Amino acid sequence: MRILVVEDEHRIAQTIKKGLEQERYAVDIAFDGASGFDLASSEDYDLIILDRMLPEMDGTQICAKLRASKIHTPILILTAKSQTADKIEGLDAGADDYLTKPFSFEELLARIRALSRRPKQSVHTSLVTGALTLNTQEFQTFYKDVPIQLSSKEYSILEYLMRNQGKVISKQQIIDHVWDFDADVLPNTVEVTIKNIRNKIEEPFPHANKIIKTIRGFGYRIR
Ligand code: CA
């Protein structure tokens, strides 16, 4: 999952980024409202965390503008105020949830998980395809109940493909959802990482059906 954090307080923004990256999310930061809106409207994010008080364009305005541009990415607004009026204003502008500062990181993570499984995902914490299971809370992968040790990027790619089961996903979509905006990633890196995932699953299970199918010229699909 790739998350955009729009927050003008650099220390808070970096703390959130660092914490989320430890949880396997790819994270981009914008430090003001205008660049936040630009990134949110030009890149494909799975979730946007918006600080309410921002220079140039505040969080509520960004939210309303994104919704007006038909961008329906889940939005979580961070607000220093806890007054009801501010919450209502944020939700009316199209935000999905809000969190009052200061907040605990655990609560932020719980809200991100809740938003990311809406509306497609149910409350389940595992993704299953055939004999392959991902526990999305513990970041563990199992094939026929045998744990498979994946690196953080290998896990993220597999999770993204499994969340989009049955759909053909291009290498560019994988790059956009698994790596940061700053990361200089070539399609070849995706190919190599996919190859590593396959090896890790297929080596101990030489008779396993091919889990990740290559769609030549397009990308990959998981059954
Ligand atoms: Ca602020």
Side-chain angles (χ1 to χ4, degrees), residues 4 6 29-41 56-57 62:
L4 172 65
V6 189
I29 302 179
F31 294 111
D32 65 74
S35 55
F37 176 77
D38 286 346
L39 274 178
S41 52
E56 293 186 52
M57 200 191 294
I62 296 176

Side-chain angles (χ1 to χ4, degrees), residues 204-215:
F205 298 99
H207 302 297
N209 289 324
K210 300 278 176 273
I211 303 273
I212 304 171
K213 197 169 158 41
T214 302
I215 312 295

Side-chain angles (χ1 to χ4, degrees), residues 63-148:
C63 192
K65 237 179 125 181
L66 288 172
R67 295 311 187 224
S69 318
K70 305 241 185 304
I71 293 169
H72 300 293
T73 312
I75 293 176
L76 172 68
I77 289 198
L78 300 179
T79 167
K81 306 172 185 175
S82 57
Q83 279 87 27
T84 320
D86 288 312
K87 293 174 184 172
I88 293 170
E89 199 192 344
L91 295 171
D92 276 349
D96 298 276
D97 200 3
Y98 60 85
L99 194 54
T100 307
K101 286 179 182 176
F103 52 84
S104 79
F105 199 72
E106 286 308 309
E107 184 172 9
L108 175 66
L109 290 177
R111 284 172 191 265
I112 291 173
R113 284 195 296 269
L115 286 173
S116 64
R117 62 184 175 237
R118 245 194 244 168
K120 290 176 286 185
Q121 305 292 326
S122 60
V123 194
H124 298 142
T125 53
S126 58
L127 292 167
V128 181
T129 175
L132 185 65
T133 303
L134 294 197
N135 178 321
T136 57
Q137 292 219 294
E138 310 285 332
F139 310 112
Q140 286 166 337
T141 309
F142 298 91
Y143 191 84
K144 295 188 174 171
D145 296 329
V146 176
I148 308 279

Side-chain angles (χ1 to χ4, degrees), residues 150-220:
L150 297 181
S151 74
S152 148
K153 288 301 179 206
E154 288 162 4
Y155 174 87
S156 298
I157 290 181
L158 193 58
E159 185 193 15
Y160 182 60
L161 290 173
M162 285 179 76
R163 284 194 189 279
N164 290 284
Q165 253 179 67
K167 288 189 210 157
V168 179
I169 303 293
S170 69
K171 284 172 204 158
Q172 191 57 48
Q173 279 175 298
I174 292 175
I175 293 172
D176 289 347
H177 285 265
V178 172
W179 276 273
D180 296 353
F181 182 64
D182 298 337
D184 201 5
V185 184
L186 298 171
N188 182 46
T189 309
V190 177
E191 286 163 28
V192 171
T193 316
I194 295 262
K195 189 164 172 269
N196 292 341
I197 299 171
R198 283 178 172 146
N199 287 345
K200 286 183 179 178
I201 297 172
E202 287 164 16
E203 248 165 46
F205 298 99
H207 302 297
N209 289 324
K210 300 278 176 273
I211 303 273
I212 304 171
K213 197 169 158 41
T214 302
I215 312 295
R216 213 157 282 285
F218 292 97
Y220 302 96

Side-chain angles (χ1 to χ4, degrees), residues 6-9 12 51-55 78 80 101:
V6 189
E7 164 65 84
D8 58 318
E9 285 163 74
I12 296 178
D51 185 31
R52 191 176 174 283
M53 301 293 281
L54 290 165
L78 300 179
K101 286 179 182 176

